[in-house]
Amino acid sequence: MHGPPVRAVRARTYVVPTTYDGDPMPESDGTARWDSTGVLVVEVEAGGCTGLGYAYTSPAALGVVRDVLAGVLLDDEDAGGVFATQRHFWSMARAVRNMGWRGIAASAVSALDVALHDAKARLLGVSLLELLGASADRVMAYGSGGFTTYTDTQLRQQFAGWAERGLRAVKMKVGTDSAADPSRVRAARDAIGADIDLFVDANGAYDRKQALEFAERFFADAQVSWFEEPVSSDDTDGLRLLRDRAPAGMRIAAGEYGYVPTDFRLLLEAGAVDVLQADATRCGGVTGFRNAAEQCIARGLPLSAHTAPALHATLAASVEPAVNVEYFHDHALIESLLFDGVPELIDGCLVPDTSRPGHGLVTSGRGEDYLTSEWES
Ligand SMILES: [Mg+2]
């Protein structure tokens, strides 16, 4: 079946300050500090429908859309139109080969791949979840924030608030000040009580010996059940060491820097993770996320969606191995600002609204104060 060709491509970038309780506040994890979040939002026009995609990335990604990728989609008249999502994905991947597929280019490809799938679902008059084939009608969400810039009081308030909203797991950052980490982790456990899962993310800040020590300590002191990037994701042997030696009740997670299918294969072949993470706004949109899911199926491992909850609600519900979606503090705020149709949180789960066409998101027009650049073909 041929779809209509892509007739126009639009791209906008936003830079949104990080906030706590509505006030600007810088954020940090074990290896980075930031005070804003960059977002690329793209639209493709085909057959009178608009498909929407987005990615959390540098505003520099707009240049990749404008100079390279828009032309790939617009010039592809005989390629099966907007329905030929696989063909478009691989054409875009080839087009960024010499600049480097990983990184900013991969995020630009990801946003456009999501927009193409959204347009296809809208043209067919179905939700994206129906187009992909649902595995579930909802997916568990976990609250994610607990930045190391927070005071213990702010950390407790954020986690207690998520618990009150029904989330059954929360994740905090560790690794900025290893001397303070044990007491911060205990404060988090105190805030959520015994029945909510507590996850920690070191963003690769610890060395192997520190990570082994903290795995034991966080589990014994606060029943931490998920240790994300205890060591750098580049140290796949170190991740494997942690996976083999951490307490049995603690899962090792990594994968957020997977940009291309091979990145996931290398983590999985190394036996580096108990749970693979994938971020559709980096790893190739719908196409890349589903490839990561297939690699998990082949190895019998679960998949977790990294950030971008409004998009991942649909994508995670469409693949069997997905166990949860990261309800990331900044992204939940940004998605509610930039888009209408954000999925609801119900009983700790994100529930895609399949009565809406596509992934259900449309631009709200509310983010204009944070617009930094725009372009259209
Ligand atoms: Mg992480």
Side-chain angles (χ1 to χ4, degrees):
M1 185 184 353
H2 272 229
V6 175
R7 290 297 184 204
V9 177
R10 288 188 288 276
R12 296 174 150 215
T13 60
Y14 301 85
V15 175
V16 184
T18 53
T19 57
Y20 184 95
D21 234 356
D23 296 322
M25 177 158 186
E27 295 173 355
S28 64
D29 60 31
T31 48
R33 185 180 172 95
W34 63 96
D35 59 15
S36 64
T37 304
V39 194
L40 168 71
V41 178
V42 299
E43 290 177 326
V44 298
E45 294 281 347
C49 268
T50 302
L52 172 72
Y54 65 99
Y56 294 100
T57 183
S58 163
L62 183 138
V64 182
V65 175
R66 179 194 60 214
D67 298 342
V68 182
L69 298 176
V72 172
L73 302 183
L74 291 165
D75 295 343
D76 217 7
E77 285 277 338
D78 299 322
V82 73
F83 290 177
T85 51
Q86 283 283 324
R87 179 180 170 118
H88 290 309
F89 177 84
W90 290 105
S91 295
M92 290 193 287
R94 281 190 292 274
V96 296
R97 185 196 68 184
N98 285 353
M99 73 173 70
W101 183 358
R102 293 175 174 85
I104 287 171
S107 285
V109 170
S110 299
L112 287 166
D113 181 88
V114 169
L116 291 168
H117 280 85
D118 187 42
K120 180 175 181 178
R122 288 173 193 272
L123 283 160
L124 294 171
V126 295
S127 69
L128 181 57
L129 186 56
E130 289 165 321
L131 178 73
L132 299 174
S135 176
D137 66 355
R138 64 194 58 208
V139 59
M140 189 187 147
Y142 71 86
S144 176
F147 302 104
T148 57
T149 38
Y150 288 178
T151 64
D152 278 7
T153 302
Q154 288 171 319
L155 175 67
R156 287 169 189 265
Q157 279 174 352
Q158 184 179 60
F159 281 10
W162 279 330
E164 274 168 32
R165 289 178 67 193
L167 293 170
R168 295 191 290 274
V170 294
K171 188 171 85 188
M172 63 186 292
K173 300 295 192 182
V174 294
T176 304
D177 174 5
S178 57
D181 286 336
S183 68
R184 289 181 62 249
V185 170
R186 281 195 301 272
R189 171 53 76 195
D190 288 346
I192 57 177
D195 297 333
I196 291 181
D197 286 332
L198 179 59
F199 300 170
V200 300
D201 182 0
N203 289 89
Y206 297 136
D207 64 30
R208 293 182 186 184
K209 296 292 191 189
Q210 276 180 310
L212 282 169
E213 182 189 339
F214 280 125
E216 296 287 347
R217 195 156 172 190
F218 293 156
F219 188 75
D221 289 358
Q223 302 79 55
V224 167
S225 57
W226 168 296
F227 198 172
E228 183 170 322
E229 291 197 296
V231 297
S232 167
S233 288
D234 294 327
D235 180 12
T236 50
D237 290 342
L239 288 174
R240 175 62 188 261
L241 177 79
L242 266 291
R243 187 186 178 201
D244 288 343
R245 298 265 299 271
M250 175 183 273
R251 291 173 290 176
I252 303 301
E256 65 188 79
Y257 304 114
Y259 288 102
V260 304
T262 307
D263 293 338
F264 299 120
R265 179 175 66 79
L266 294 175
L267 275 176
L268 293 167
E269 278 182 355
V273 294
D274 295 303
V275 182
L276 183 72
Q277 295 176 278
D279 186 330
T281 85
R282 293 177 179 164
C283 73
V286 178
T287 303
F289 188 83
R290 288 169 68 80
N291 175 278
E294 283 156 13
Q295 295 194 50
C296 285
I297 290 168
R299 289 171 174 81
L301 286 178
L303 176 69
S304 172
H306 174 263
T307 74
L311 173 64
H312 282 130
T314 288
L315 300 191
S318 82
V319 293
E320 204 281 331
V323 288
N324 56 31
V325 169
E326 180 174 13
Y327 190 74
F328 189 60
H329 168 71
D330 300 300
H331 294 186
L333 293 172
I334 289 169
E335 289 164 1
S336 293
L337 174 74
L338 296 184
F339 308 128
D340 290 323
V342 169
E344 274 188 88
L345 260 183
I346 300 173
D347 296 333
C349 292
L350 281 168
V351 185
D353 181 355
T354 53
S355 71
R356 298 175 69 92
H359 48 46
L361 305 174
V362 292
T363 50
S364 70
R366 290 189 295 272
E368 301 317 291
D369 286 352
Y370 306 108
L371 183 69
T372 57
S373 59
E374 59 186 321
W375 172 83
E376 59 183 287
S377 58

